[in-house]
PDB file of all heavy atoms in Angstrom:
ATOM      1  N   GLU A  22       1.416  17.365   3.567  1.00 96.00           N
ATOM      2  CA  GLU A  22       1.287  18.068   4.854  1.00 96.00           C
ATOM      3  C   GLU A  22       2.505  18.966   5.037  1.00 96.00           C
ATOM      4  O   GLU A  22       3.639  18.510   4.902  1.00 96.00           O
ATOM      5  CB  GLU A  22       1.190  17.014   5.967  1.00 96.00           C
ATOM      6  CG  GLU A  22       1.373  17.548   7.370  1.00 96.00           C
ATOM      7  CD  GLU A  22       0.299  18.526   7.792  1.00 96.00           C
ATOM      8  OE1 GLU A  22      -0.787  18.075   8.203  1.00 96.00           O
ATOM      9  OE2 GLU A  22       0.555  19.738   7.697  1.00 96.00           O
ATOM     10  N   ASP A  23       2.273  20.243   5.322  1.00 95.00           N
ATOM     11  CA  ASP A  23       3.397  21.181   5.410  1.00 95.00           C
ATOM     12  C   ASP A  23       3.946  21.353   6.818  1.00 95.00           C
ATOM     13  O   ASP A  23       5.048  21.857   6.985  1.00 95.00           O
ATOM     14  CB  ASP A  23       2.985  22.552   4.847  1.00 95.00           C
ATOM     15  CG  ASP A  23       1.854  23.169   5.642  1.00 95.00           C
ATOM     16  OD1 ASP A  23       0.842  22.467   5.848  1.00 95.00           O
ATOM     17  OD2 ASP A  23       1.968  24.323   6.066  1.00 95.00           O
ATOM     18  N   GLU A  24       3.177  20.969   7.834  1.00 93.00           N
ATOM     19  CA  GLU A  24       3.692  21.154   9.195  1.00 93.00           C
ATOM     20  C   GLU A  24       4.657  20.017   9.525  1.00 93.00           C
ATOM     21  O   GLU A  24       4.248  18.858   9.587  1.00 93.00           O
ATOM     22  CB  GLU A  24       2.541  21.152  10.205  1.00 93.00           C
ATOM     23  CG  GLU A  24       1.737  22.436  10.192  1.00 93.00           C
ATOM     24  CD  GLU A  24       0.359  22.231  10.784  1.00 93.00           C
ATOM     25  OE1 GLU A  24       0.292  21.983  12.011  1.00 93.00           O
ATOM     26  OE2 GLU A  24      -0.617  22.280  10.039  1.00 93.00           O
ATOM     27  N   ASP A  66      -3.627  17.575   3.718  1.00 94.00           N
ATOM     28  CA  ASP A  66      -3.891  18.735   4.559  1.00 94.00           C
ATOM     29  C   ASP A  66      -4.539  19.801   3.683  1.00 94.00           C
ATOM     30  O   ASP A  66      -4.138  19.998   2.536  1.00 94.00           O
ATOM     31  CB  ASP A  66      -2.561  19.237   5.141  1.00 94.00           C
ATOM     32  CG  ASP A  66      -2.768  20.386   6.106  1.00 94.00           C
ATOM     33  OD1 ASP A  66      -3.834  20.431   6.758  1.00 94.00           O
ATOM     34  OD2 ASP A  66      -1.867  21.234   6.218  1.00 94.00           O
ATOM     35  N   MET A  68      -4.889  23.175   4.439  1.00 89.00           N
ATOM     36  CA  MET A  68      -4.194  24.466   4.484  1.00 89.00           C
ATOM     37  C   MET A  68      -2.731  24.259   4.125  1.00 89.00           C
ATOM     38  O   MET A  68      -1.939  23.822   4.950  1.00 89.00           O
ATOM     39  CB  MET A  68      -4.293  25.062   5.893  1.00 89.00           C
ATOM     40  CG  MET A  68      -5.695  25.437   6.293  1.00 89.00           C
ATOM     41  SD  MET A  68      -6.219  26.967   5.497  1.00 89.00           S
ATOM     42  CE  MET A  68      -5.269  28.146   6.439  1.00 89.00           C
ATOM     43  N   LEU A  69      -2.398  24.558   2.878  1.00 90.00           N
ATOM     44  CA  LEU A  69      -1.024  24.391   2.417  1.00 90.00           C
ATOM     45  C   LEU A  69      -0.556  25.692   1.784  1.00 90.00           C
ATOM     46  O   LEU A  69      -1.362  26.422   1.210  1.00 90.00           O
ATOM     47  CB  LEU A  69      -0.960  23.291   1.344  1.00 90.00           C
ATOM     48  CG  LEU A  69      -1.267  21.858   1.764  1.00 90.00           C
ATOM     49  CD1 LEU A  69      -1.510  21.000   0.533  1.00 90.00           C
ATOM     50  CD2 LEU A  69      -0.129  21.296   2.595  1.00 90.00           C
ATOM     51  N   LYS A 116      -7.757  18.349  13.153  1.00 86.00           N
ATOM     52  CA  LYS A 116      -6.535  18.368  13.975  1.00 86.00           C
ATOM     53  C   LYS A 116      -6.810  19.051  15.310  1.00 86.00           C
ATOM     54  O   LYS A 116      -7.558  20.019  15.335  1.00 86.00           O
ATOM     55  CB  LYS A 116      -5.444  19.173  13.246  1.00 86.00           C
ATOM     56  CG  LYS A 116      -4.903  18.512  12.013  1.00 86.00           C
ATOM     57  CD  LYS A 116      -3.827  19.461  11.471  1.00 86.00           C
ATOM     58  CE  LYS A 116      -3.342  19.018  10.122  1.00 86.00           C
ATOM     59  NZ  LYS A 116      -2.409  20.006   9.557  1.00 86.00           N
TER      60      LYS A 116
HETATM   61 CA1   CA B   7      -1.083  23.075   6.982  1.00 92.62          CA
END
Side-chain angles (χ1 to χ4, degrees):
E22 166 64 82
D23 62 309
E24 285 159 68
D66 184 30
M68 294 284 286
L69 293 165
K116 291 181 188 174

